[in-house]
Structures are given as structure tokens and as C-alpha cells.
Amino acid sequence: MQEDDKVPLIGHSTLKEFTQDILQKTVQLTQYGNALATNLENYEYFSSFPIYSEFCLEEGSRLVNIIGELLKHHGVQCSWSSQKIDIEERFERLIDANDVMLETIGSLLDEAAGLKKNNKPILPPTSIYKQSSPVVSSWNKDKNYKSAAKSGAFKLLLAKNIQRPQLKFINKIDNSNKPFVPYIKQKHNAIKRDILSDFRTEIEDFESHPYAYELSKLEPHDWQLEEAEPLKYPMLDTTNLTYIDTDEGLNDLINKLKKVKEIAVDLEHHSYRSFQGFLCLMQISTRFEDFIIDTLALREEMYKINEIFSDPNILKVMHGADSDIGWLQRDFGVYVVNMFDTGQAARTLHEDRFSLAYLLSKYCNVDAQKQYQLADWRIRPIPKEMILYAQEDTHYLLYVYDILRNQLLNKGNANKNLLKSVYSKSTSICATMYQKPLFNNDSYIATYEKYRGRLNPQQLECFRLLFEWRDKTAREEDESIVYTLPNHMLFQIAENLPKEPQGVIACCNPVPPLVKQRNTEIHLLVMLAREFDPQKCHQSSNNTNDLQNIQNTNKINLSDVSLKCGFEIYKVTGPSVESKQPTINLFEDKVFEGYSNQGKAAAILSALISPFLVYLPNIGKEIVAPAEINKAWEEACKKVEAIPDVVEPKPNVVEPKKKKKRPFNHDAEEKTLRELLPKKQKQDISKVDQKVKVSYDETVKEKADYVPFDYSAVDMKRFINKPSNSIPLDAYQSQDVKIGKVIKTGVRSKAKSMTFKH
């Protein structure tokens, strides 16, 4: 019996007896729980009795409190005693608590096995941190950030106020909602093939992947399948490190890599301030030298490295290259041929862990500085500690490859099946194509299924609209969806459905910049969701799936919802207006059939005649230019102003007495508005203003070049497109007044108001 088994426990003599007792009771509890599940049909009936329901409530609360106390002893805060928390929420919290406990147990077992030697991460010295002075975001700080700021114990580096590198890209990032199309500027190391003899049913693969044929014909070289003594890596401090950010340096690197058989490759990617992300660094190591390439500065020249990466005679050793292969295709048009993935080798050998940090710790006795794994690699110049971290990722990788290759050969059969399977899996990864994130009408369902709560139809419609808005905005601004609107804020807005724009801001803490800029646009979507009627959804579709029904109804086009004026956003209601096609068909081809080019031009010119000349008949006078008409009117006005006004004596007319208002008689007959209006008195044409008459005779009539048109000879019916029930034109004309005469009205009109200006 071991020494630990002799520890005295209450009610048990040994620790082994205690654990066996606990295990037996756990099994019995599980059996009782399964038995309860079979008798749930009668639960509703028994719950109708007050004694039974009170007993179940009391026992349930007691068990919940006991579980909560047990979890507190394990350092898990699980405050679920509140009655407001439903059963599903408690179950989710219990699962989280179990994950924390299992993670703690695994960490303790690793420490007991000697795998975890130091719990504290290796941090750069304080002097190095102060020299680089990186800017750290508030969410990225330690809880005791005041003390950490003095000691320099920040785990991550984040560039808060840095210019976005994608603004300087010559070839802009394509964030459209269309599949990724592979591209390549120059195809190196291509294999000539006879298409007729090598034709396969996978012709679509040849069209999608530029090196699909080369990868299908790839076989590992003999030296890749042989066991060899692992070549020890040089010390990190003494290894030559070259930082490349110029075109000349990149060309020199390519010439050096052509002379080696094996290289180690790793990439550093940034995705927080970009929709698809972009590569910031590329690390390449040979057996004796390390290189770091600034891919932001050489983004337009990185296609040249495809000559090395597509060379089947050069083995590329990478770790977990599933994402790296797609990033190289997306950013640079670079494709990898002949790769060994150490992550796949670790899985084939059934290692305890598959991370690069674990392999370095196990085979190289190196604790990798993974506190910079999520650092912002857009920082320029790059701090020294981040350069050191990037160098370590590839400096030891070729030595790890040698060890894993030998283990695969030793544990495999005579056909070297394990090693060949790793090469085959690595080649399959190289044959994959980058997949651009695409949006469809069902994209929001996967995110909603991860939500622990439940949303009503209006809240779910708001979630769908905001989910679509977030994707559209992130593509336009080239920002990640996490930066645009995180999921927890998205659910917060959908749950509350704020009535005011300020409520949208209140649901976000801290407020994302794009949410603050487009607050009105988000609030409009929330108001549309509040008016959502689920009944229309069920009437329009016979499908019983609620999510399917909701997504097919009450949809809007987000391209129309923007910060526009009210008439452009809201629908204008009113009577329908009948749309008519224009009746002018001057430039149609059928009109000019049979005409030559000159005849067509003459016909068009004749059609562009003034409408006055078309509808008003010519009386034989020459057409006077408008300038001459204006000049004639101006001279007439001057003569009229020179004539003194003649004041006629007013006749002695007795003003009629004002009549008193009579009370309104409701019993009187109703009269039309025309009958109630006072009738006009007939005017005596003989009494015409002599002033106007003299001015007309002495000015206008004497002018030989200007003769006013006599409208009495015009056919007035040509101006009226009257309906069948319209009033005749003659009804509007007074029988006692002749056309063409000057009529004196109550308003004194001066000739000055009748002038025309150009």
C-alpha cells in the first residue's frame, strides 16, 4: 500500500476506499437519475398535489446549493441559486464548470508527469519592454494591470493607433460575396502533360488548383524516406538572422534557397482589423540560417517566392499548415508542392499534444514564448521580443522533423506506411483551395444555435437583420465581424429591441466605432424587426420550421437602408399614378425607313420646329427674331411712360347701404358655389382706357417690322385634348366680349410689366 493511501479520512480508513465509495455512489446516483427519466410521464399529474411539488422544489434547491458549494471548493464560481435562472442556463453553467475542473485536472497530471515545469510564462525583460514601448489595449491587460504596468508583464502587444496597411495595397482586397478565384502570375516547375492521355473525371480540380496535376504526380524522394541522424540546430544567439524588406533582399533569398533541400516555413497573420485578414510576416529557416520577410512591405513582390514553394525537389516543413496554405494562395498566389506537416506527424504518432510549443518543449527543451501568439503583427518597427518569437517558430522545426521522421519509420512497417501517410496527408492539405467567407440567407442560423437563450419572432428577426448588416458593413469597411459588432452585443440588441437610437449605444460596452457611426441605420433595422408579424410568415409558407419561415419573410434590401433622407427610406403612400410611355418616337429606326443619311437629317431638322409655328397659322408676315420683339416692347413702354395720366372725374354714385347679416337658415334650399358668387356686370366696350388705346395705335401698330399675332384666326380646338364629358371651349368665352379687343379690368396694368428679357 502506498503512503498516500494511509491518509485517514472520515468514515474511511484509506484514500482508495474513499474513492471507491464515491465512485459507487456516483454510479447509483446515475442509475436513479435514469430511472426518473422513464417515469416523467406521471410527473405532471403528481405535480398537481401541493405536497409533492413543495417536496420536489425543496429537494431540488438543496441539491443545487450542494453542487454550488462543491464547485466553490474547486475554485469555480457558479452563482445559480437565483430563481430567475432557468434549467437550461444552469445546465450550461454546469458544463462550463466541468470543463474548468477537467482542465485543472489535466494541468495537474501534466505537472505530476514532469511535462509542465514552469507555470509562469517566460516574459521579456523589463528593459527590453521599455525600449520597444508597445501600445497595449485595455482589454488585453492583466487584471492587476497597475502592478503589471510597472513590471512590464503584459502578455499581448496591440497597435491601437496604427495606420491600416491595406490602405497602401496596390491590389485591393476583394471582399465581395463571391467565391475565391485562384490566380497565379507565373507558374514555375510545371509538368508537361498530354491532356488526352491524362484526362480524368476530376477535370474541375485541374481548373481550380493551378498545381493539381503536379500534386497528383508527386512522390516522396528516396532521401525523404530514409532514416538519418537528426542534425542538431545551432544556438539561437549565434545564428545569423536576416530581416528582408526590400526587393533586392528577396531576390538574394530566392537564390540561396535554390541550393538547399529542406526549409522550415511559418507565417504570422492578422485578422482583427480586416474582413479576410492578411499576412504580415513570413519566417524561413535553413539548417544554419534564419530569415524573416516583411510581407507587408513586399506584398506585390511575394509572388516570386512561388519558384521555391512549388519546387518538388525542395521539402517545405510546416506545422499545422491547414490555414497557411490558403493564406499563401489568397495574398500572394503562392502554391506549395512537397510539404511535411509536423502537426500531422504528431497526430499519427499519437503524441499527448499536437501543438508546436509541446513539440519544442519535448524534443528541444525550449519553452516557446506563446504570449505573443495573438500579438498585432502590423507593428512597424517590430519589437525585439516579437522578432525573437517569430524566429523560434522555424529555428528548431527542421530538427523536430528529423526526430518525427525517424519515429515514423521505426513504428511503421517495412513499407514505411506511417511516414508515407504523413506525406499523403500533407499533399492533400496542399491541394486544398482557399475558401472565402460567403454569406447566404441561412448564415445566421449557425450563430443562433450557439445562443443559450431563446428569442421570440421579433427578436429573431432583429438578430437576422443585424447579422446581415454586420456582414455587409464588414465587407465594405474591410473590418472583421468581431470588430464591427461582436456576437454578445448583437444578441444584446436583439433581446432588448431598443426604441431609441440611444438604446442601441446602451447595449454595447464598449461601443464599436462602426456602431457609433451607423447608429441610425442599426436603429432603423431594429424598428423594422419590432413591426415584424409572424402570422404573415406562416401564411406565406407551409413549412413548419420556424427558422425557415422567418428567414423567407419580411426581408429588406440592406443596400437601400442607409443614411438617406426620409423620402428615400420610408415608403410614400398615396394614390397610384398611371405611368405612360413618351409619344415622341423621333429617333426610332422605323420612322426613317427608306431615308438616306441626308434625308434623315432633314427629317429630324424639320421635326425640331417651334411648336408655335406648328399650331399657329402663318399670316404671310416674316418671322421676327425675339430680340426685335423685345426691342419693340421696350420702345412701347418708354412712350407709354411719357404720356401723362388722364384722371377722369368720378361720377356721384351713392354707395349702397351695408346689409345686415342674416341668421343662417338651415331649412333653405342648398345652392351651388357658382350661384352664391356675385354676378359680373357687363362691361361697356366703348368706355376703354384712352391711354392704353393711344399707346397701342401710336407705337405697336405703326411698327412695320413687328405685327402682333391675331389670335382670332387660330383654331383653339387644336390646343385642347378634351374628354368626352368635358365642357365645350365656347362655354368659357363670353358672348359679349370680342376677341382681340383691349378690356379694362379692375387691376391697373402697366406696359412695363409686359417686357421680355433674354
Side-chain angles (χ1 to χ4, degrees):
M1 184 179 295
Q2 298 180 1
E3 184 177 355
D4 294 340
D5 295 340
K6 299 180 181 179
V7 177
L9 297 173
I10 300 176
H12 303 84
S13 59
T14 61
L15 179 62
K16 184 176 182 180
E17 182 181 352
F18 173 74
T19 55
Q20 291 296 328
D21 188 17
I22 292 297
L23 180 61
Q24 182 180 2
K25 292 182 179 180
T26 304
V27 173
Q28 292 179 355
L29 180 62
T30 305
Q31 293 176 353
Y32 294 152
N34 295 332
L36 287 175
T38 59
N39 298 325
L40 290 179
E41 297 179 356
N42 299 327
Y43 176 75
E44 296 182 357
Y45 170 73
F46 289 110
S47 297
S48 60
F49 297 96
I51 299 177
Y52 180 81
S53 60
E54 291 178 1
F55 173 78
C56 291
L57 182 61
E58 182 179 356
E59 293 296 324
S61 301
R62 186 176 64 86
L63 291 175
V64 168
N65 293 332
I66 292 175
I67 296 175
E69 293 296 329
L70 290 175
L71 294 178
K72 287 182 180 180
H73 289 290
H74 290 277
V76 179
Q77 298 296 330
C78 193
S79 57
W80 54 16
S81 60
S82 176
Q83 298 296 332
K84 297 181 180 180
I85 304 176
D86 55 1
I87 297 177
E88 295 181 357
E89 181 69 17
R90 291 177 179 177
F91 183 72
E92 293 291 340
R93 294 188 180 185
L94 181 60
I95 293 177
D96 295 340
N98 289 334
D99 293 340
V100 174
M101 295 172 61
L102 292 176
E103 185 178 357
T104 304
I105 293 173
S107 177
L108 294 175
L109 291 175
D110 292 341
E111 186 177 357
L115 299 178
K116 190 176 182 181
K117 300 179 180 180
N118 187 9
N119 292 330
K120 297 181 180 180
I122 299 177
L123 301 175
T126 307
S127 59
I128 298 179
Y129 176 78
K130 289 183 178 180
Q131 291 176 2
S132 59
S133 300
V135 181
V136 183
S137 177
S138 59
W139 61 268
N140 202 18
K141 296 179 180 179
D142 192 84
K143 294 182 179 179
N144 300 324
Y145 64 92
K146 292 184 179 179
S147 59
K150 298 179 180 179
S151 60
F154 293 114
K155 295 183 179 181
L156 301 178
L157 298 177
L158 179 66
K160 189 174 183 181
N161 298 321
I162 190 174
Q163 186 179 4
R164 303 177 65 193
Q166 57 264 46
L167 298 178
K168 300 180 181 179
F169 293 167
I170 297 177
N171 297 324
K172 301 301 180 183
I173 300 176
D174 181 18
N175 292 328
S176 61
N177 195 27
K178 298 178 182 179
F180 172 75
V181 179
Y183 67 95
I184 184 172
K185 289 189 176 182
Q186 185 177 0
K187 185 175 181 180
H188 300 88
N189 307 300
I191 300 178
K192 295 182 180 181
R193 58 190 177 95
D194 186 3
I195 300 179
L196 296 179
S197 61
D198 292 335
F199 183 79
R200 300 178 180 181
T201 57
E202 297 86 357
I203 188 66
E204 296 180 355
D205 296 338
F206 297 153
E207 296 177 354
S208 60
H209 198 291
Y211 285 89
Y213 183 77
E214 286 76 10
L215 290 172
S216 64
K217 295 296 182 179
L218 179 65
E219 294 292 339
H221 297 281
D222 295 336
W223 57 269
Q224 296 180 219
L225 300 176
E226 296 176 357
E227 185 176 0
E229 183 68 21
L231 183 60
K232 190 69 175 180
Y233 50 86
M235 297 300 296
L236 188 64
D237 299 337
T238 60
T239 304
N240 183 25
L241 175 63
T242 305
Y243 184 84
I244 301 173
D245 58 355
T246 60
D247 192 11
E248 294 77 7
L250 182 61
N251 295 331
D252 295 340
L253 173 63
I254 294 175
N255 295 330
K256 289 182 180 180
L257 296 181
K258 290 180 181 179
K259 303 176 182 179
V260 300
K261 297 191 303 181
E262 304 157 322
I263 60 173
V265 182
D266 191 31
L267 302 171
E268 301 300 339
H269 187 262
H270 177 81
S271 59
Y272 181 62
R273 294 300 306 275
S274 178
F275 182 73
Q276 300 182 63
F278 49 83
L279 292 174
C280 301
L281 281 184
M282 176 184 290
Q283 303 97 278
I284 298 178
S285 294
T286 62
R287 292 288 183 177
F288 307 101
E289 195 172 0
D290 298 332
F291 304 91
I292 294 181
I293 306 175
D294 187 355
T295 57
L296 294 180
L298 299 174
R299 182 180 177 88
E300 306 302 329
E301 305 295 332
M302 286 302 298
Y303 71 92
K304 299 177 181 179
I305 204 73
N306 189 54
E307 183 178 0
I308 303 300
F309 280 64
S310 62
D311 191 350
N313 298 320
I314 301 177
L315 177 64
K316 277 70 66 175
V317 180
M318 305 176 70
H319 182 84
D322 303 72
S323 301
D324 297 345
I325 295 297
W327 293 340
L328 290 171
Q329 298 171 5
R330 177 199 63 194
D331 290 354
F332 312 136
V334 173
Y335 301 86
V336 181
V337 179
N338 192 6
M339 181 189 71
F340 183 91
D341 193 333
T342 56
Q344 297 296 330
R347 289 175 172 83
T348 305
L349 293 172
H350 303 287
E351 295 282 353
D352 295 337
R353 296 181 184 178
F354 311 134
S355 63
L356 179 60
Y358 173 76
L359 297 178
L360 296 180
S361 176
K362 181 178 180 180
Y363 298 115
C364 304
N365 197 20
V366 174
D367 293 330
Q369 299 183 18
K370 289 302 178 182
Q371 64 268 23
Y372 299 110
Q373 188 173 8
L374 298 178
D376 194 339
W377 292 98
R378 302 175 302 164
I379 300 175
R380 296 295 184 274
I382 305 177
K384 294 181 180 179
E385 56 269 23
M386 294 176 63
I387 290 289
L388 180 62
Y389 165 81
Q391 183 182 5
E392 286 181 347
D393 283 348
T394 56
H395 181 76
Y396 309 97
L397 194 56
L398 291 177
Y399 177 74
V400 174
Y401 154 71
D402 293 339
I403 296 177
L404 296 178
R405 180 196 59 205
N406 293 340
Q407 291 184 6
L408 291 170
L409 290 173
N410 295 331
K411 294 184 179 180
N413 55 20
N415 295 326
K416 307 175 182 179
N417 59 334
L418 294 182
L419 181 57
K420 290 183 178 180
S421 66
V422 173
Y423 280 116
S424 177
K425 294 177 182 179
S426 302
T427 303
S428 300
I429 295 175
C430 295
T432 58
M433 288 297 301
Y434 172 73
Q435 299 294 331
K436 186 191 294 185
L438 299 178
F439 177 84
N440 54 60
N441 295 333
D442 300 334
S443 299
Y444 74 99
I445 297 179
T447 305
Y448 174 70
E449 289 177 349
K450 300 177 183 178
Y451 180 58
R452 298 178 180 178
R454 293 294 179 267
L455 301 178
N456 59 34
Q458 286 76 19
Q459 293 173 336
L460 184 58
E461 178 68 8
C462 179
F463 174 78
R464 185 187 69 81
L465 294 177
L466 293 180
F467 191 90
E468 185 176 356
W469 171 88
R470 181 178 67 174
D471 181 84
K472 172 178 174 292
T473 304
R475 292 177 187 272
E476 292 177 354
E477 301 292 338
D478 193 22
E479 298 285 0
S480 64
I481 58 175
V482 179
Y483 178 83
T484 304
L485 183 61
N487 284 336
H488 67 280
M489 297 184 185
L490 179 60
F491 282 110
Q492 187 74 10
I493 298 174
E495 287 179 356
N496 294 282
L497 294 176
K499 297 181 180 179
E500 300 295 337
Q502 294 78 7
V504 177
I505 301 298
C507 294
C508 305
N509 186 22
V511 183
L514 292 177
V515 174
K516 187 181 299 183
Q517 295 174 9
R518 305 193 179 190
N519 186 21
T520 305
E521 188 175 344
I522 297 176
H523 181 254
L524 175 61
L525 297 177
V526 175
M527 297 307 295
L528 290 176
R530 292 179 67 92
E531 299 175 359
F532 172 70
D533 187 5
Q535 297 297 331
K536 295 181 181 179
C537 173
H538 293 287
Q539 294 176 2
S540 61
S541 176
N542 295 326
N543 189 4
T544 57
N545 189 358
D546 293 339
L547 293 176
Q548 187 70 19
N549 291 339
I550 291 174
Q551 73 180 20
N552 292 332
T553 57
N554 278 17
K555 290 186 177 181
I556 61 172
N557 188 4
L558 286 181
S559 60
D560 298 335
V561 179
S562 58
L563 297 180
K564 302 178 180 179
C565 63
F567 291 103
E568 295 174 329
I569 296 177
Y570 300 98
K571 295 182 179 179
V572 180
T573 59
S576 59
V577 180
E578 182 181 359
S579 60
K580 295 184 178 181
Q581 298 295 332
T583 58
I584 299 177
N585 54 1
L586 176 62
F587 298 98
E588 294 183 0
D589 295 338
K590 297 181 179 179
V591 179
F592 303 105
E593 290 182 357
Y595 283 85
S596 62
N597 292 336
Q598 295 181 354
K600 186 183 295 185
I604 294 175
L605 184 61
S606 62
L608 298 177
I609 301 175
S610 174
F612 292 99
L613 299 179
V614 176
Y615 291 100
L616 301 180
N618 191 359
I619 58 176
K621 300 290 184 179
E622 296 181 359
I623 300 176
V624 182
E628 297 294 335
I629 297 176
N630 291 339
K631 185 177 180 181
W633 279 108
E634 290 177 359
E635 294 178 358
C637 293
K638 293 179 181 179
K639 292 184 178 182
V640 171
E641 291 177 356
I643 300 174
D645 295 337
V646 179
V647 181
E648 297 181 357
K650 294 182 179 180
N652 295 330
V653 180
V654 180
E655 296 181 0
K657 297 181 180 180
K658 295 183 180 180
K659 297 181 180 181
K660 296 181 179 180
K661 295 182 180 180
R662 298 179 180 178
F664 181 74
N665 187 7
H666 295 278
D667 298 333
E669 295 181 359
E670 295 182 359
K671 296 182 179 182
T672 61
L673 180 61
R674 185 174 297 276
E675 293 175 352
L676 295 175
L677 292 176
K679 296 182 178 180
K680 296 182 179 180
Q681 297 180 359
K682 295 182 179 181
Q683 293 180 340
D684 190 0
I685 302 177
S686 60
K687 296 181 180 180
V688 182
D689 190 357
Q690 297 296 329
K691 172 186 174 182
V692 179
K693 184 175 182 181
V694 172
S695 63
Y696 173 78
D697 295 337
E698 294 181 357
T699 59
V700 180
K701 194 173 182 180
E702 293 177 357
K703 290 291 182 180
D705 296 338
Y706 171 72
V707 179
F709 184 78
D710 189 4
Y711 285 91
S712 61
V714 178
D715 185 8
M716 304 297 292
K717 295 182 179 180
R718 298 185 64 179
F719 292 93
I720 299 179
N721 185 15
K722 61 180 180 179
S724 58
N725 57 351
S726 61
I727 302 175
L729 178 63
D730 299 338
Y732 293 100
Q733 299 177 356
S734 176
Q735 299 178 359
D736 299 332
V737 181
K738 294 183 180 181
I739 300 175
K741 301 295 183 179
V742 180
I743 302 174
K744 184 177 181 181
T745 60
V747 180
R748 183 177 179 85
S749 61
K750 297 183 180 181
K752 185 185 296 185
S753 62
M754 299 165 58
T755 58
F756 294 88
K757 299 294 183 182
H758 292 287

